[in-house]
C-alpha cells in the first residue's frame, strides 16, 4: 500500500485530473469501492465550489457517464445519479454531501 497522501492541488489542471482519475478508478471497482467513490465525488464537488470551479462539474459528469458505460449497468446508474447533482447549480451554502442510494 501507498503511504503517500492522496491530496492534490488545483493550482493547475494536473491536480484536477489526478482527483478525477481517482474517481474513475473507484467507479471501475463498484460495488466494492462504493463508499470511497462517493467520498471522492463529494470532496471534488466541495472543492470545485470552494475554488469557484463549479462550472466544470457538468463536463465531469458527462465524462463520468461515458466511463461508466464501459463498466456496467450499476456504474451507469451511480454516474447518472451523481450527474443530477453535478449539473445542478446551487449556492455554496446549500452544497451538501451526495448520499449513496440503494440501487
Amino acid at each position: 500500500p501507498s503511504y503517500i497522501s492522496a491530496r492534490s492541488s488545483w493550482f493547475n489542471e494536473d491536480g484536477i485530473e489526478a482527483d478525477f482519475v481517482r474517481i474513475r478508478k473507484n467507479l471501475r471497482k463498484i460495488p466494492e469501492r462504493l463508499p470511497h467513490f462517493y467520498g471522492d465525488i463529494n470532496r471534488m464537488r466541495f472543492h470545485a465550489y470552494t475554488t469557484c470551479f463549479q462550472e466544470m462539474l457538468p463536463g465531469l459528469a458527462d465524462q463520468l457517464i461515458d466511463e461508466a458505460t464501459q463498466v456496467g449497468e450499476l456504474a451507469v446508474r451511480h454516474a447518472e445519479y451523481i450527474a443530477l447533482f453535478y449539473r445542478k447549480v446551487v449556492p455554496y451554502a446549500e452544497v451538501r454531501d451526495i448520499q449513496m442510494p440503494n440501487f
Side-chain angles (χ1 to χ4, degrees):
S2 174
Y3 295 100
I4 299 173
S5 175
R7 301 289 178 219
S8 62
S9 168
W10 282 25
F11 288 119
N12 58 38
E13 62 186 53
D14 292 339
I16 297 169
E17 179 64 24
D19 283 351
F20 195 64
V21 165
R22 183 178 166 135
I23 288 171
R24 288 176 24 218
K25 285 180 181 179
N26 286 330
L27 176 71
R28 284 186 229 123
K29 295 178 182 177
I30 284 178
E32 297 84 19
R33 302 286 295 174
L34 204 53
H36 300 283
F37 173 73
Y38 275 89
D40 289 338
I41 284 289
N42 285 318
R43 188 172 59 84
M44 181 169 242
R45 184 170 179 235
F46 276 108
H47 200 74
Y49 270 88
T50 301
T51 57
C52 299
F53 284 142
Q54 64 268 29
E55 71 276 357
M56 74 172 188
L57 292 175
L60 292 177
D62 294 339
Q63 290 179 35
L64 198 61
I65 290 172
D66 289 344
E67 179 84 20
T69 58
Q70 300 171 21
V71 176
E73 182 182 337
L74 183 60
V76 170
R77 288 169 52 187
H78 282 284
E80 288 174 345
Y81 177 71
I82 294 301
L84 296 174
F85 294 92
Y86 269 31
R87 291 181 179 140
K88 183 178 179 183
V89 177
V90 297
Y92 178 74
E94 295 178 20
V95 176
R96 302 285 182 265
D97 276 351
I98 300 170
Q99 301 298 314
M100 267 190 298
N102 292 326
F103 290 135

